[in-house]
Structure formats: C-alpha cells, structure tokens
Amino acid sequence: MAATRDIRDRADLDALLRRFYGAAFADPLVGPFFTEVAGTDLEAHLPGITDFWERALLRTAEYRKDAFAPHAALHAARPLTAAHFGRWVQLWHATVDGLHAGPLADRAKAQGERIALSLLRRLAGRDAPTGGGEGGFIPLAALRLRSAA
C-alpha cells in the first residue's frame, strides 16, 4: 500500500505513532531503550507524544512537558549514541513514508531529524560524532516498513 495522502489530523498522528512505536519497540538496536531501560507503556505514552507531534505539525495541541528530561534519564542509564538516533530517524522516515506523502509528512521527517540531532548534541556534547557528512546527520538506509495487514 503506497502512501497516498498527507498527515491531516490527530487520528493520522495516532496511527502513525502506533505504527512507528511498534517498529521501534521491536527493533534490536533502539527497542531495548523503550522496553528494558524505560519500560515504556505505549498506551500511557501515546497521548503525550501525540500531543507533541500534533503541536509540532498541526499547531492544534498543547504540549508543555520537558521532552529532554526522559532522554537524559535514558542516557544516564545507558548512553544514547549517534547510531541509536540514526536508527530512530530511519524508522521514523520509513513509517512516515509508508503511510503519508505531502508537505506535513515532509515536515514530520525533517522535524524528526532536527530533534534527533539536537538530543544527541545535548546528551553527548556539541562535537559528538554523528556518522554523517559535513553538516549532515546520519545517513538513512533504504528502509520500508510493510503496510499493516
């Protein structure tokens, strides 16, 4: 199933985030941060993260939490590296591309990259290696997630 339309509303974000976290929780590189280190309860986590993305993309929700603090706690328990953030970006891009196409989908991918780079630099230092080229972030692999049946 090819992506045919752009992200439109909170329901689209909910479906996108459920699909993304399903892939992220199962991923051998980043999954343990969600399942073992943080012990994330997706149903409890989803409303807040959906608020975050709704605010970032649609400007229709309130989000006043400190998005950095949970990542700092994870990093203190088990260091997050460029490889972890790079994999997050790969999964994010693949999930967005698998469901949506359009300006908001493009903005979601770009915002995800900015967030990942910002978190990496705040956690590991401004000069933290990113694995990317000059001015770039982590190279993205050609990765597609299959549509849910």
Side-chain angles (χ1 to χ4, degrees):
M1 179 171 141
T4 58
R5 63 175 180 78
D6 207 353
I7 297 167
R8 295 183 301 203
D9 53 27
R10 186 175 180 94
D12 286 344
L13 290 171
D14 182 75
L16 174 69
L17 290 163
R18 285 181 185 280
R19 179 102 169 266
F20 168 74
Y21 280 106
F25 278 37
D27 186 78
L29 182 60
V30 298
F33 283 92
F34 295 106
T35 60
E36 297 168 18
V37 180
T40 304
D41 174 350
L42 183 57
E43 292 308 313
H45 181 62
L46 201 56
I49 198 69
T50 304
D51 286 348
F52 173 87
W53 283 104
E54 186 179 356
R55 173 75 179 119
L57 298 176
L58 305 173
R59 309 286 194 247
T60 56
E62 289 294 318
Y63 184 83
R64 298 192 187 276
K65 295 180 183 175
D66 179 1
F68 179 71
H71 296 91
L74 286 175
H75 185 69
R78 187 183 297 174
L80 290 159
T81 68
H84 297 116
F85 286 106
R87 183 63 179 152
W88 186 97
V89 169
Q90 288 173 336
L91 292 170
W92 181 244
H93 273 245
T95 305
V96 172
D97 286 343
L99 294 175
H100 298 285
L104 283 177
D106 291 342
R107 188 183 321 162
K109 292 184 293 184
Q111 183 73 10
E113 290 176 24
R114 282 190 299 273
I115 290 166
L117 183 57
S118 175
L119 286 172
L120 175 64
R121 288 187 170 155
R122 285 185 71 187
L123 294 169
R126 185 110 190 108
D127 297 326
T130 63
E134 186 176 321
F137 190 42
I138 295 125
L140 298 176
L143 174 67
R144 298 281 179 199
L145 299 179
R146 293 184 182 194
S147 298

